[in-house]
Amino acid sequence: MTSTTVTPDASPRSNAQGDGWWRSAVIYQVYPRSFADADGDGIGDLDGIRNRIPYLSRLGVDALWLSPFYVSPQADAGYDVADYTEVDPVFGSLADFDELLAATHDAGLRMIVDLVPNHSSDEHPWFVDAVAAAPGSPERDRYLIRDGRGEHGELPPNNWRSLFGGPAWDRLPDVDGRGSQWYLHLFDTKQPDFNWANAEVAAFFDSVLRFWLDRGVDGFRVDVAHSLVKDGDLPDVDHAAHAIDRETHGGGDRGPMWDQDGVHDIYRHWHKVLDEYGSDRILVAEAWVSPVERMARYVRVDEMQQAFNFPFMLAGWNAPRLRKIIADSLAANDAVGATTTWVLSNHDCVRHSSRFGLTDPTGWPNGIAADDEQPDATLGLRRARAATLLTLALPGSSYLYQGEELGLPDHTALPAEARQDPNFVRTGGREIGRDGCRVPLPWTADAPAYGFSPTGASWLPQPEEFRELAADRQEGDPHSTLALYRDALTLRRAEALGAGAIDWADSATDVLDFRNGGIRVVANVGPSAVPVSGEVLLASSPGAVSGGLLAADATVWLRA
Ligand code: NOJ
Ligand code: MG
């Protein structure tokens, strides 16, 4: 038997990344709107999260990442921030935040918060000032505001498109009779892009970092970290080559708005700001860049600590793709002294239990509607559990998205009038968007809104399937998805898998077979059972191993 060893620890450890907690942490994404609603208005809130800290502790995660809870008109579910240092009343108050953070820390968990530096809300005072100010003013210089093209400036400054559909430019009112200018928004019209060449913008974000660091947060997840700096000339793009649509952005040719070298100066600077608070605060990049070597540039020793491994998430349920991306990611991160992260789901994509139930389990739909192909829920969940067990055995850090520990599927039958994603709205429904993965969690099968809210209110309707998947139904069932996650996290910790290294064994094309410390992991990604032997410690589905065979779409952890 030949084997290839990919050793994350091969590079010198004498770098600033050291032995930090994040290198092997399991970090749970809380999407505040949909986690738990304490005040009964149908929108999750900070008190709701605090009430559920015992659940998260028991689950066995190391840290929480909170999606935005800042003051916002909620045009993009809070990724449109109108006040970076205040809690939106819908989620609570700063005092509630402090209590939540204290409760999180008391439970031995860390907390990172979202930072949205590419754009603000159009209701941010700076943008309100920019709208009222004259062309060429310092107020306008904080955003990417330009004269239009055409005889009267009636055409947008370039041909970029918004990721949510439509042009990436909108017009400002004409304030001084010189004609109206245009502002750039890579996302919604209510999300104007900042001008990161403006020193005031940079200084402002230093103050935002310090505000939350002073309150005690353990770090930041940085929204669209690859887009802050644009090519200064804002050149037209060839859409075929520089597509910024959801499918290909960040892949292939980068385009003048993504992954420009200048972003790294910003993160080197932020690294120093965090260092003022000790060596255990982190930055994690949401950067849709590929290949993984390019992604690893964000986690060089003096930049961020982590970057979400989206190439892994995009690999789907396909053994050769998974094997390659695992090996490539470990090697690329190792080369810069960082550990790798792993992620299967988040609030921007169809949950992996639904993706893997599609005919093509490598497919990447932008939401699923009732008249699209419907996922096979049983197959999808079976594969999702197998994928999770594979993922949690990998060295490095894993991100979990709330509800995946319950095996929740996407809501694929949301009526159009319930959908709120600007991506759905801006494309007139041509793109389904992300509401399906954002549905409020089911806590109690027989309570109104499945226990999400004491009043039964829920900002998105929940599907009937959530009843059986409610946390209380899974409690005490040793075969439940919740039990699988708890068992896997317990064993992962006991065996220090996050700090380990993997040693591949030869295997059939559809099988991933490796050792990490004292555990041998065999994932059967193919359609037929394969021989396996050894002491089974954990299996992704009941009866996955029987008669010396590992069933299709199953992963097993064996005593190595
Ligand atoms: C990435 C966030 O995850 C997503 O939800 C948001 O719509 C965009 N960035 C714009 O902020
Ligand atoms: Mg509420």
Side-chain angles (χ1 to χ4, degrees):
M1 182 183 284
T2 59
S3 68
T4 335
T5 305
V6 183
T7 316
D9 289 346
S11 32
R13 298 290 291 272
S14 60
N15 58 55
Q17 306 234 3
D19 294 314
W21 62 270
W22 62 87
R23 291 178 69 92
S24 58
V26 175
I27 303 179
Y28 182 99
Q29 180 187 0
V30 173
Y31 192 66
R33 299 176 70 74
S34 303
F35 188 68
D37 174 26
D39 68 2
D41 66 353
I43 302 179
D45 40 48
L46 299 182
D47 280 353
I49 303 169
R50 187 163 49 83
N51 294 339
R52 299 289 178 179
I53 295 283
Y55 169 88
L56 296 168
S57 276
R58 167 101 207 279
L59 181 60
V61 299
D62 302 297
L64 311 183
W65 149 35
L66 262 57
S67 282
F69 48 80
Y70 315 110
V71 171
S72 162
Q74 306 288 329
D76 184 23
Y79 282 95
D80 50 318
V81 181
D83 185 344
Y84 285 83
T85 54
E86 186 52 88
V87 173
D88 196 291
V90 85
F91 298 119
S93 63
L94 269 178
D96 296 332
F97 177 81
D98 290 340
E99 270 191 59
L100 170 60
L101 183 60
T104 305
H105 284 161
D106 285 350
L109 306 176
R110 315 246 178 184
M111 186 200 282
I112 64 174
V113 296
D114 227 299
L115 183 76
V116 190
N118 177 68
H119 45 264
S120 69
S121 162
D122 65 339
E123 297 182 32
H124 190 282
W126 272 8
F127 193 72
V128 173
D129 288 351
V131 172
S137 60
E139 288 83 358
R140 288 213 167 174
D141 191 55
R142 294 170 180 147
Y143 292 89
L144 290 169
I145 295 177
R146 296 285 186 277
D147 291 327
R149 295 196 286 201
E151 207 182 326
H152 306 289
E154 71 281 9
L155 299 172
N158 70 26
N159 68 352
W160 297 4
R161 315 260 318 151
S162 154
L163 248 79
F164 290 160
W169 296 91
D170 260 280
R171 272 191 116 162
L172 295 175
D174 180 2
V175 288
D176 62 359
R178 282 194 281 160
S180 72
Q181 290 192 298
W182 297 75
Y183 70 95
L184 179 74
H185 57 88
L186 290 182
F187 295 90
D188 192 64
T189 48
K190 286 183 68 62
Q191 293 168 297
D193 281 49
F194 281 115
N195 172 19
W196 268 89
N198 179 309
E200 255 190 293
V201 170
F204 170 68
F205 276 96
D206 284 4
S207 74
V208 174
L209 290 172
R210 289 203 170 89
F211 178 88
W212 295 103
L213 290 165
D214 286 339
R215 296 198 102 80
V217 303
D218 298 290
F220 302 89
R221 174 267 191 193
V222 181
D223 191 61
V224 272
H226 57 316
S227 68
L228 274 50
V229 173
K230 280 84 177 174
D231 178 326
D233 297 333
L234 304 182
D236 272 347
V237 293
D238 167 354
H239 280 286
H242 301 105
I244 58 170
D245 60 87
R246 203 163 178 281
E247 308 260 304
T248 50
H249 74 275
D253 199 330
R254 296 197 306 282
M257 68 297 282
W258 307 122
D259 198 24
Q260 303 293 301
D261 286 345
V263 295
H264 297 287
D265 296 335
I266 299 171
Y267 304 133
R268 279 189 198 101
H269 174 69
W270 288 4
H271 185 108
K272 290 192 193 126
V273 173
L274 266 64
D275 267 354
E276 293 168 18
Y277 291 80
S279 57
D280 60 351
R281 316 286 177 117
I282 70 165
L283 296 165
V284 51
E286 189 228 10
W288 289 84
V289 300
S290 62
V292 283
E293 291 73 23
R294 204 68 213 173
M295 194 177 77
R297 289 159 51 96
Y298 288 77
V299 292
R300 287 176 290 192
V301 68
D302 56 349
E303 297 195 34
M304 300 207 182
Q305 282 70 16
Q306 296 189 327
F308 293 117
N309 192 341
F310 294 130
F312 178 73
M313 184 157 90
L314 290 164
W317 189 235
N318 174 285
R321 287 169 60 145
L322 285 165
R323 190 183 298 108
K324 176 164 172 26
I325 202 66
I326 291 169
D328 289 356
S329 311
L330 289 169
N333 286 296
D334 182 38
V336 296
T339 58
T340 299
T341 67
W342 311 102
V343 59
L344 290 165
S345 283
N346 65 29
H347 66 293
D348 289 329
C349 68
V350 172
R351 287 178 175 279
H352 61 289
S353 58
S354 294
R355 291 199 314 270
F356 295 168
L358 295 171
T359 312
D360 173 8
T362 64
W364 188 253
N366 179 6
I368 298 177
D371 51 5
D372 291 332
E373 180 200 344
Q374 293 299 293
D376 175 333
T378 308
L379 178 65
L381 180 55
R382 180 180 173 86
R383 286 176 171 165
R385 291 170 55 129
T388 295
L389 212 51
L390 165 67
T391 305
L392 291 176
L394 294 170
S397 170
S398 275
Y399 276 82
L400 305 178
Y401 176 48
Q402 66 178 37
E404 66 168 87
E405 77 280 13
L406 302 175
L408 297 186
D410 258 44
H411 192 337
T412 57
L414 278 171
E417 57 280 11
R419 292 193 180 270
Q420 303 197 18
D421 187 348
N423 190 200
F424 179 82
V425 178
R426 279 182 66 82
T427 59
R430 274 191 320 284
E431 293 183 23
I432 301 308
R434 305 160 294 178
D435 294 304
C437 66
R438 299 176 173 181
V439 176
L441 295 194
W443 294 97
T444 314
D446 295 321
Y450 307 127
F452 167 66
S453 160
T455 56
S458 172
W459 71 277
L460 282 174
Q462 299 156 298
E464 177 58 30
E465 304 93 274
F466 273 26
R467 180 185 305 280
E468 282 309 313
L469 295 169
D472 71 327
R473 284 279 160 97
Q474 301 200 31
E475 198 61 59
D477 171 1
H479 299 309
S480 68
T481 305
L482 182 57
L484 178 70
Y485 272 73
R486 285 177 179 159
D487 292 347
L489 291 172
T490 303
L491 202 48
R492 175 189 159 91
R493 189 184 297 263
E495 299 284 334
L497 299 182
I502 69 176
D503 200 352
W504 293 102
D506 273 350
S507 59
T509 312
D510 280 339
V511 174
L512 277 76
D513 186 343
F514 60 84
R515 202 167 56 76
N516 179 356
I519 303 283
R520 180 171 162 224
V521 180
V522 186
N524 182 3
V525 184
S528 349
V530 295
V532 76
S533 59
E535 181 198 346
V536 176
L537 299 177
L538 196 56
S540 60
S541 14
V545 178
S546 133
L549 292 174
L550 173 63
D553 297 316
T555 298
V556 69
W557 290 5
L558 305 158
R559 176 57 64 206

